[in-house]
Structure formats: C-alpha cells, structure tokens
Amino acid sequence: QSVLTQPPSVSGAPGQRITISCTGSTSNIGAGYDVCWYQQFPGTAPKLLIYADNNRPSGVPDRFSGSKSGSSASLAITGLQSDDEADYYCQSYDSSLRVVFGGGTKVTVL
Amino acid sequence: QVQLQESGPGLVKPSQTLSLTCTVSGGSISSGSYYWGWIRQPAGRGLEWIGRIYRSGTTNYNPSLKSRVTISVDTSKNQFSLKLSSVTAADTAVYFCARETTGPSFDYWGPGTLVTVSS
C-alpha cells in the first residue's frame, strides 16, 4: 500500500494530452514538501522527469509538466508519443522523515 | 557525469543478511550536499524507499524496515553500502542505489541489481 495514490493506468491517443494524478495527505504533499516525477521503462532504472513540483531537468522535453495543489499533484504529458509508453511514479517526503512514492501509473498510447 | 553501480550477491538465503555496495564514479561522495540512498522494487510492483546516508554518516531509514537496515559509507572508496538482515522472500526485489538532491529527488540512479531470497 503506497503512501501516495496514483491511478494504475492512463491511456491516450497520439498527440493527445493526458494527466496523471498523485494524491497524498497533510503529512506529505499537503505539508508543502516538494513533489517529483519519474519515468521508468521495463528493466531500467527510473529517470527523473520533474523535480520541485514543476521543474524539468536538462534534456526533459517541455511536453512534460508538473503542478501541485493542496495535498495533490499532477503530471501532464502533451503531444503524447509512442515513446511515452512507460510507468510513471510520483514521489515526495513525509513528516515521518521518509521518502514516499506513489504506486505508479502505466501510460498506454492507443 | 555521475554514475552509480550496485554490486553484491544475487541470491541470499532466508534469515540471512543481504549486503550490497554502490560504487560512485564521476563525482565524489564527499563533495556537495547530497544524500545517497537505496530504493527497491519487487517484480511488477512500485518503488519502496529503504533509506539514505550523508557523507558524514548521518542516516535515515524507512520506519517499516528500520529494525533490519544498516546503511554505511566509505568515502575513501567512494562507496556506500546496504545491509538488510533477517531476509524473507518478501525482500526479493531489484535494488537501486541513487543520489538524492534537494526536494528530495533522485537525479542519478544505478542500473539496479536483482536480489532473490530463496533457499
């Protein structure tokens, strides 16, 4: 049971915009801790996609964007491409002094 | 470019201690304000944070694993290590080491190593 809640799957057609939600509580996201997002392909390590709620590391396309409101956060992917098929994880910090992850969302491009 | 590489036995017997080492190259563990962490992922499941260590030796552990986990650092070898005691089949997973930066977020990851707990 993950501390942060994500939908198990999200799908969209090429070129569409999709969003992935990440719901936490007042002890993590709602406490003001930063949210980051990772992209993971099968058999590989996660790759940092978004940090500090809405910042992209160098090299990450601006099709990926993050937002946060209250105890929830979202990752948006615009102009969906077949290469975006992967698992996506949100992550934050908790007042119990631990890093917490979402359960992951599988993105399918129809 | 910072690179991390996990190493250690791929098979551990139940009740024994799992031991992994992460070797960092392309940068020094002793420089910058980074934590160095361990994360694991059972097959087909999500990511679970195990714990982290600062260059000074300060550690934080996941409360659910705290009684069984020890993370240490050897700055002279540019390595940090994980020990997980009294393992069971539930500890079978791919174990990743990673660099933790502000946020926190993990900006560099090792490729991961599969550890299977089985007799």
Side-chain angles (χ1 to χ4, degrees), chain B:
Chain B
Q1 178 83 342
V2 174
Q3 293 185 315
L4 296 88
Q5 180 68 54
E6 305 89 352
S7 60
L11 181 64
V12 181
K13 289 181 167 48
S15 80
Q16 294 191 342
T17 296
L18 176 161
S19 296
L20 295 174
T21 296
C22 183
T23 300
V24 179
S25 58
S28 173
I29 280 183
S30 298
S31 63
S33 300
Y34 303 110
Y35 275 87
W36 302 88
W38 289 97
I39 299 105
R40 69 180 183 179
Q41 184 174 36
R45 297 179 61 183
L47 300 163
E48 179 181 32
W49 179 72
I50 299 171
R52 63 182 184 175
I53 190 164
Y54 195 63
R55 60 188 182 191
S56 63
T58 299
T59 54
N60 295 107
Y61 300 133
N62 188 326
S64 68
L65 298 169
K66 187 174 183 178
S67 62
R68 298 193 292 130
V69 174
T70 302
I71 297 176
S72 58
V73 65
D74 187 335
T75 55
S76 67
K77 294 182 178 179
N78 225 29
Q79 296 176 332
F80 61 105
S81 298
L82 168 70
K83 290 189 185 300
L84 181 66
S85 64
S86 304
V87 297
T88 69
D91 296 309
T92 294
V94 174
Y95 285 75
F96 297 99
C97 59
R99 188 180 82 169
E100 180 189 315
T101 185
T102 54
S105 61
F106 298 96
D107 57 353
Y108 290 98
W109 294 67
T113 187
L114 174 63
V115 179
T116 302
V117 178
S118 176
S119 55

